């Protein structure tokens, strides 16, 4: 048998194993609210090839990919346990088992590692939490996709309604079509039908009521069966407490803004300061996509090296508030054609750092350039550190943070020598460290951080909503602190 024959035979074997994993992963998710992860990447609703590619990501650790042959026994062991709602990382299970010297069986080790999600320790499944989207633009539709994807057993977040201004004939059909197909993020994974008579979009079995209103004061959400809901405002029309308080109508319990909040509205970056949200807080912001991209790596660097000062330059994809062709705009430069120009503009991300990282003493400045790409941006973070270090040490630190720390859902890491912006469309991380572009000299470090300013940010929004709604389930084995 030739090497080619061996490789192909090995691939087919791994395909078969990955196929056997899919129904187990799906059943755990639907029946027990258990999300199976691999290095913080969800395996729920993934294809055979996607599962194999996700396993290959483990090359980042020691130069060798993690095999489905290694992880399948842990997955099977999970099915024998009385699991409650949780997230369980197969890669972390396999790695910690490999390092364990007690000689336990896979079944015994797994039971011990996830004990916090079993028996008397497990979280009881609730009735779910209603969610309403106010606005249905770029972020609104991506958040809708994520909510539908994560519906699982129906005991988590449930998208019940969207609120939009009336748009004329066949409005709901057109909005459903925009949810179904996206020029950047591709086809919706599932089925969508429209019931025009009841004003409802049915997406993968989720009945989503379309409410038409020009102002929050017009709506009584309880009339639509919505109770104790979290409303996600992705219009950006109101950004202070007084404006956002208008959403606190019958049926709405909390309001989450998908833009930087003003005044005393807390700006939350999940993974960094989400645990500071007080239970009684009813209005909060998820800050900006750029703030979410720079704050986690900034925290990781400050924790390890100390940061004395810094500057962030963002090279940002153009957005919907710019003009396609030169035309009048309230901002001087944003009126110029977005697809044809690089446009210097302002960014509030640097000043927003102090809200998310109040203990950071360093002064962070920032500026931004909009460029002619429709999605994925890059932040160049130039830091003066409190001590000298080396490029190798910084990369080792950030690689480890991306794999095993509490920030692993926020920070990703790539060593691809030919990486470009389109490679990161659909990334679920807040930012991705580009190892090849990183520069370190003495006490100066320059980090290049890619981020999908649409989808990656939407994932951060969902994480905040899960946290404040009480359906952000613990991860096992617990990441190192």
């Amino acid at each position: 048998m030739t090497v080619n024959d061996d490789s192909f035979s090995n691939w087919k074997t791994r395909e078969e194993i990955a196929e056997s994993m899919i129904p187990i992963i799906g059943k755990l998710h639907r029946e027990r609210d258990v999300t199976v992860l691999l290095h913080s990447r969800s395996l729920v609703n993934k294809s055979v090839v996607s599962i194999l590619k996700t396993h290959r990501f483990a090359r980042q650790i020691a130069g060798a990919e993690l095999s489905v042959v290694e992880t399948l026994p842990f997955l099977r062991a999970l099915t024998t346990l009385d699991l409650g709602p949780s997230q369980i990382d197969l890669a972390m299970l396999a790695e910690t088992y490999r390092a364990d010297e007690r000689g336990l069986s896979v079944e015994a080790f797994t039971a011990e590692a996830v004990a916090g999600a079993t028996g008397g320790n497990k979280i009881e499944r609730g009735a779910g939490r209603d969610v309403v989207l106010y606005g249905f633009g770029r972020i609104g539709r991506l958040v809708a996709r994520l909510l539908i994807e994560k519906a699982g057993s129906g005991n988590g977040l449930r998208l019940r309604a969207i609120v939009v201004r009336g748009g004329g004939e066949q409005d709901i059909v057109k909005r459903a079509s925009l949810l179904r197909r996206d020029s950047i993020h591709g086809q919706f994974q599932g089925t969508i039908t429209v019931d025009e008579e009841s004003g409802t979009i049915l997406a993968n079995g989720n009945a989503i009521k379309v409410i038409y209103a020009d102002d929050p004061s017009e709506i009584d959400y309880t009339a639509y069966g919505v109770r104790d809901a979290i409303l996600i405002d992705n219009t950006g029309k109101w950004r202070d407490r007084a404006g956002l308080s208008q959403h606190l109508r019958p049926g709405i319990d909390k309001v989450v803004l998908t833009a930087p909040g003003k005044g005393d509205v807390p700006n939350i970056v999940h993974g960094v300061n989400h645990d500071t949200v007080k239970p009684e807080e009813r209005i909060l912001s998820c800050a900006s996509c750029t703030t979410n991209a720079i704050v986690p790596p900034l925290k990781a660097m400050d924790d390890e090296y100390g940061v004395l000062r810094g500057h962030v330059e963002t090279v940002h994809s153009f957005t919907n508030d710019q003009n396609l062709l030169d035309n009048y705009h309230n901002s001087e430069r944003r009126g110029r054609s977005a697809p044809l120009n690089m446009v210097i503009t302002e960014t509030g991300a640097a000043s927003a750092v102090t809200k998310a990282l109040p203990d950071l003493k360093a002064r962070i400045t920032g500026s931004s350039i909009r460029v002619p790409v429709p999605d994925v941006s890059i932040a160049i973070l130039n830091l003066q550190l409190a001590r000298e270090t080396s490029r190798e040490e910084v990369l080792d630190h950030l690689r480890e943070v991306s794999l095993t720390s509490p920030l692993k859902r926020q920070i990703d890491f790539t060593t691809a020598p030919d990486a470009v912006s389109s490679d990161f469309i659909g990334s679920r991380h807040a930012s991705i460290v580009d190892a090849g572009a990183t520069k370190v000299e003495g006490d100066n470090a320059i980090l290049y951080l890619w981020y999908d300013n649409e989808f990656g940010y939407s994932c951060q929004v969902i994480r905040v909503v899960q946290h404040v709604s009480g359906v952000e389930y613990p991860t096992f084995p617990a990441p190192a602190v």
Side-chain angles (χ1 to χ4, degrees):
M1 184 176 284
T2 67
V3 172
N4 286 340
D5 289 336
D6 284 342
S7 296
F8 186 67
S9 177
N10 178 264
W11 172 261
K12 301 303 286 184
T13 298
R14 287 185 292 141
E15 269 191 327
E16 185 178 0
I17 293 172
E19 285 174 356
S20 72
M21 297 173 81
I22 291 174
I24 302 174
I25 293 167
K27 189 173 183 179
L28 285 170
H29 187 57
R30 287 190 308 275
E31 296 183 2
R32 306 193 197 179
D33 280 341
V34 173
T35 300
V36 177
L37 309 173
L38 199 85
H39 281 308
S40 78
R41 290 159 166 77
S42 174
L43 297 183
V44 176
N45 292 327
K46 294 298 186 289
S47 68
V48 167
V49 171
S50 180
I51 289 174
L52 293 174
K53 285 182 68 176
T54 306
H55 276 74
R56 200 157 190 244
F57 172 78
R59 288 179 304 165
Q60 299 273 20
I61 304 169
E65 67 183 82
L66 184 66
S67 172
V68 287
V69 176
E70 293 179 74
T71 57
L72 179 60
F74 294 97
L75 182 61
R76 285 177 170 161
L78 293 177
T79 65
T80 67
L81 302 173
D82 180 26
L83 287 168
S86 57
Q87 300 186 104
I88 298 177
D89 196 313
L90 295 182
M92 295 299 291
L93 275 173
E95 288 170 26
T96 51
Y97 180 70
R98 199 180 300 130
D100 191 85
E101 299 178 347
R102 294 174 295 165
L104 297 176
S105 66
V106 166
E107 293 75 14
F109 181 85
T110 302
E112 179 182 277
V114 303
T118 61
N121 296 321
K122 70 179 183 181
I123 300 170
E124 292 303 320
R125 297 164 68 187
R129 189 70 177 270
D130 291 353
V131 178
V132 172
L133 295 179
Y134 197 94
F136 205 51
R138 297 298 305 154
I139 299 301
R141 291 194 295 274
L142 291 178
V143 168
R145 285 188 174 200
L146 287 164
L147 287 167
I148 294 163
E149 171 194 303
K150 294 179 181 297
S153 66
N155 295 311
L157 300 176
R158 303 179 304 185
L159 177 56
R160 298 293 305 279
I162 61 173
V163 181
V164 293
R165 292 192 298 268
E169 188 177 355
Q170 287 202 309
D171 178 274
I172 190 172
V173 173
K174 293 173 182 176
R175 294 187 189 278
S177 292
L178 286 169
L179 179 62
R180 185 181 290 114
R181 288 178 287 271
D182 190 280
S183 299
I184 296 170
H185 300 283
Q187 297 276 345
F188 173 80
Q189 297 300 302
T191 63
I192 293 176
T193 58
V194 175
D195 185 337
E196 289 190 79
E197 186 175 340
S198 65
T200 303
I201 295 173
L202 289 166
N204 290 359
N206 294 266
I208 307 163
K209 179 69 178 178
V210 179
I211 302 171
Y212 293 100
D214 294 322
D215 188 86
S217 64
E218 301 176 10
I219 312 167
D220 178 348
Y221 292 95
T222 60
Y224 302 96
V226 175
R227 299 286 188 278
D228 194 34
I230 295 176
L231 182 143
I232 303 173
D233 183 329
N234 51 85
T235 68
K237 184 175 181 180
W238 304 279
R239 291 170 57 189
D240 60 10
R241 188 172 295 276
L244 293 168
S245 293
Q246 298 177 76
H247 289 305
L248 295 174
R249 302 283 299 153
I252 302 299
D253 178 55
K254 295 180 186 292
V255 179
V256 174
L257 171 66
T258 63
K262 294 183 177 180
D264 67 342
V265 174
N267 280 253
I268 304 302
V269 174
H270 191 275
V272 175
N273 68 336
H274 67 277
D275 55 356
T276 66
V277 179
K278 299 175 181 176
E280 65 271 17
E281 180 60 71
R282 302 187 70 190
I283 295 174
L284 53 93
S285 155
C286 290
S288 70
C289 56
T290 302
T291 303
N292 276 265
I294 65 174
V295 166
L298 184 56
K299 174 176 170 53
M301 292 297 287
D302 188 50
D303 287 347
E304 181 67 18
Y305 304 103
V307 174
L308 300 181
R309 64 173 175 268
H311 177 81
V312 60
E313 185 79 35
T314 68
V315 182
H316 200 291
S317 58
F318 64 79
T319 59
N320 210 33
D321 80 321
Q322 294 174 256
N323 291 336
L324 288 175
L325 296 171
D326 289 2
N327 209 340
Y328 176 83
H329 195 290
N330 287 332
S331 297
E332 286 82 357
R333 300 182 200 250
R334 292 195 189 193
R336 303 297 299 276
S337 172
L340 298 178
N341 294 289
M342 293 188 291
V343 180
I344 297 173
T345 187
E346 71 284 344
T347 176
S351 59
V353 167
T354 56
K355 280 194 170 185
L357 277 177
D359 294 335
L360 182 71
K361 305 305 179 188
R363 180 171 181 263
I364 307 294
T365 57
S367 51
S368 181
I369 301 172
R370 297 286 178 93
V371 294
V373 293
D375 188 29
V376 180
S377 305
I378 191 167
I380 305 166
L381 191 57
N382 193 331
L383 304 175
Q384 182 186 353
L385 307 176
R387 67 175 175 89
E388 293 192 355
T389 182
S390 66
R391 182 174 181 272
E392 292 72 22
E393 184 186 347
V394 168
L395 290 178
D396 284 347
H397 170 60
L398 292 175
R399 181 189 291 109
E400 190 65 24
V401 166
S402 74
L403 291 170
T404 63
S405 83
L407 289 171
K408 65 181 182 178
R409 296 170 74 193
Q410 283 70 43
I411 300 175
D412 203 359
F413 189 92
T414 182
T415 57
D418 58 349
V420 293
S421 60
S422 62
D423 296 333
F424 305 103
I425 292 174
S427 170
R428 295 179 180 239
H429 289 78
S431 62
I432 305 99
V433 176
D434 191 314
T438 301
K439 295 174 174 58
V440 180
E441 186 173 345
D443 63 353
N444 178 242
I446 303 175
L447 309 181
Y448 286 73
L449 308 166
W450 298 101
Y451 58 109
D452 184 330
N453 48 278
E454 293 187 336
F455 197 73
Y457 176 67
S458 296
C459 289
Q460 282 286 89
V461 171
I462 290 294
R463 291 171 189 137
V464 170
V465 174
Q466 287 177 319
H467 178 72
V468 299
S469 66
V471 296
E472 183 182 37
Y473 302 135
T475 300
F476 299 95
V481 178

